[in-house]
Amino acid sequence: MRIAIVTESFLPSLNGVTTSVCRVLDHLRARGHEAIVVAPSPAPREYHGFPVRGVTSVPVRQFQVGLPTPEIEAILADFAPDVVHVASPFFLGARGLVAARDLGIPAVAIYQTDMAAYVLQHGGAAGRPAARATWRYLRWVHSLAHLNLAPSSAALADLRRNGVADTGLWGRGVDTALFHPGWRDDAGCRALRRSLAPRGETIVGYVGRLAPEKELDRLRPLLDLPGVRIAITGDGPSRAALRSLMPGATFLGRREGDDLARAYAACDVFVHTGTHETFGQTLQEGAATGLPIVAPRRGGPIDLVDHGRTGLLFDPDDPADLRRCIESLTVAEDAWERRAVMGEAALQKVSGRSWQRLVDDLIGHYRALAHVPVG
C-alpha cells in the first residue's frame, strides 16, 4: 500500500505524536509498504528511507505549528496514496483532510491531543466558550475523515460526546526492546542512580514534556517526603519556572534512546501528573521498565493503570491524594514489597502491547477504507 502521513508534529520535536508516527513508519517499512510524511518544518529530508516533506511552520511555545498551505494538496496529488493518515489533526491535519477529500482519497484521523482541554486550562475567563468553539472546529475537522481513531476509552468517549462520528479505538504500542528492567544492571544507570540518590533514597521519576498542561506543580508537595528524591526528565517551555518552583528536584533534561531508558530504570516509582492525556505513552514505557505507575484517575491513564495492582490512580480533585499514593510506595513500612509486586504486574500488563501488533491493526483499517485486499 501507499500511505501518506500528515502529522502536526515530527522530528526533531519529541512528543507522543512524533513517537507514534515514527513507530508506524518503522513497521510500514518492515512490511514493504510505501509512505511519505508531510510535517512542519524544520524536518529531516527522510525517515528510514521514506521521504519527508516539511511545510511552512511558525513556532508556538517551543512547538512548530504547520500552516495549512496549498502545497499539501500538491504533495498528496503527486504521491497518489491509497490512504491518508492524519496524526492529531488541527491546522496542518485539517488541510490534509480537505485535500484528501478533494482528491477522493480515504482518510484516517488519529485523535491524540485534547486541544479543547488545553484551551480551557489556559483560556482564563474566556476558557469555557473558547473550549466549546474548539470542539466545534474539531467536530468539523474529524467529519472530513472516513474513520476517527482514539487511543483510549476516555478519548473515544470525548469524541462521541462531542458529536464526532465514525469512531474506533486504536491504542499505542511500547518498545519493549528499548524499555525493560534489564537497564538496572547497566553501569550508566547505576551511576545515574547514585547521583540522584547518594544515600539510597527512593527515586520518584517523571518523564515527559515540561509544559503547563502537564501540571507538574502537583509534584511540589512531594519534595519534603523523607528519603524521597524527585527526578524530572524532559524539556519544554515550563523548564525555568519549574526549576524555580521545585529547587529540590533534579532536572535531567531531554534524553533519547538508551539515555532515556536509563532515566526510567534509575527510578523506583513513575509518576504522571497531567489530567488531559488522551493516552499516556510514558506510562507504558515506565511499566515496561518494571515500575509501579502513579497517575491521575482521569483520561488515558484509567485504561493503563489497574489501581492497586499495577500502580495507583490518584484523585486529581483532592490536592493531598497524590502525596498519599506516593507515601504508600515510598515511606510506608511495606513500600518496597508493594513496589516490587506492582512493578512486576505493570510489566506483565504491557508485555503484549507491541508496536507490531498495533500497526497490523492499523494496516487493517487502511485496507478496509481503501478496499485493498490482504496479500
Side-chain angles (χ1 to χ4, degrees):
M1 293 185 69
R2 293 171 64 84
I3 300 100
I5 297 182
V6 181
T7 177
E8 299 286 349
S9 178
F10 197 61
L11 299 171
S13 295
L14 291 179
N15 50 54
V17 175
T18 297
T19 297
S20 62
V21 168
C22 288
R23 297 296 82 77
V24 168
L25 290 167
D26 293 343
H27 290 277
L28 290 178
R29 168 60 67 192
R31 287 157 180 74
H33 297 286
E34 297 178 68
I36 190 172
V37 180
V38 181
S41 294
R45 295 177 61 88
E46 65 172 40
Y47 179 83
H48 286 194
F50 292 132
V52 178
R53 300 290 183 86
V55 300
T56 305
S57 69
V58 294
V60 178
R61 293 176 62 238
Q62 297 184 2
F63 187 86
Q64 291 299 129
V65 176
L67 300 181
T69 61
E71 59 191 309
I72 300 170
E73 284 92 335
I75 294 169
L76 295 183
D78 181 64
F79 184 69
D82 297 305
V83 66
V84 174
H85 167 140
V86 184
S88 196
F90 201 68
F91 291 131
L92 186 62
R95 189 60 183 255
L97 287 167
V98 169
R101 180 197 62 187
D102 292 346
L103 294 168
I105 306 167
V108 178
I110 310 297
Y111 175 63
Q112 195 162 337
T113 306
D114 190 349
M115 292 298 300
Y118 295 164
V119 169
L120 178 62
Q121 185 178 25
H122 303 300
R128 289 191 179 279
R132 289 194 292 270
T134 300
W135 265 118
R136 286 195 295 272
Y137 173 72
L138 287 171
R139 186 162 50 248
W140 170 76
V141 170
H142 284 276
S143 73
L144 299 169
H146 295 79
L147 178 64
N148 296 288
L149 296 175
S152 66
S153 58
L156 184 62
D158 279 347
L159 287 179
R160 291 173 174 172
R161 183 168 54 250
N162 286 281
V164 176
D166 303 313
T167 56
L169 192 64
W170 180 64
R172 300 292 181 271
V174 61
D175 185 355
T176 55
L178 177 59
F179 303 107
H180 56 81
W183 280 107
R184 294 172 188 161
D185 297 324
D186 174 77
C189 180
R190 292 199 302 269
L192 175 60
R193 183 173 177 84
R194 286 193 299 270
S195 70
L196 293 172
R199 289 177 290 278
E201 296 96 334
T202 303
I203 302 171
V204 175
Y206 164 88
V207 176
R209 183 168 160 79
L210 308 187
E213 62 270 15
K214 301 302 182 180
E215 303 173 63
L216 285 160
D217 56 294
R218 293 179 183 271
L219 296 178
R220 190 179 184 187
L222 308 181
L223 292 173
D224 63 353
L225 284 173
V228 174
R229 296 295 304 274
I230 305 299
I232 297 173
T233 300
D235 201 357
S238 296
R239 178 180 56 185
L242 289 169
R243 281 183 177 274
S244 177
L245 180 70
M246 296 185 288
T250 300
F251 290 80
L252 297 176
R254 170 172 162 162
R255 292 187 170 221
E256 301 177 49
D258 290 355
D259 283 340
L260 177 58
R262 291 186 183 99
Y264 278 109
C267 298
D268 298 295
V269 178
F270 180 85
V271 63
H272 188 79
T273 49
T275 57
H276 303 301
E277 300 296 326
T278 58
F279 187 69
Q281 182 63 18
T282 58
L283 279 68
Q284 287 201 135
E285 292 168 355
T289 312
L291 301 177
I293 309 300
V294 179
R297 192 186 296 274
R298 192 166 295 167
I302 295 173
D303 287 358
L304 298 177
V305 180
D306 291 344
H307 182 71
R309 193 177 77 85
T310 67
L312 298 171
L313 292 168
F314 69 88
D315 180 357
D317 296 323
D318 180 350
D321 199 34
L322 172 57
R323 182 183 170 102
R324 284 194 293 266
C325 289
I326 295 297
E327 283 179 325
S328 72
L329 293 174
T330 58
V331 301
E333 288 187 4
D334 63 344
W336 189 91
E337 292 83 358
R338 294 196 77 193
R339 292 200 304 269
V341 171
M342 287 185 178
E344 179 60 30
L347 176 60
Q348 292 301 317
K349 183 177 174 68
V350 300
S351 61
R353 294 180 182 169
S354 71
W355 273 109
Q356 178 177 337
R357 182 176 66 82
L358 269 294
V359 175
D360 282 344
D361 292 343
L362 184 61
I363 292 171
H365 290 304
Y366 293 163
R367 292 189 182 280
L369 289 178
H371 305 292
V372 175
V374 176

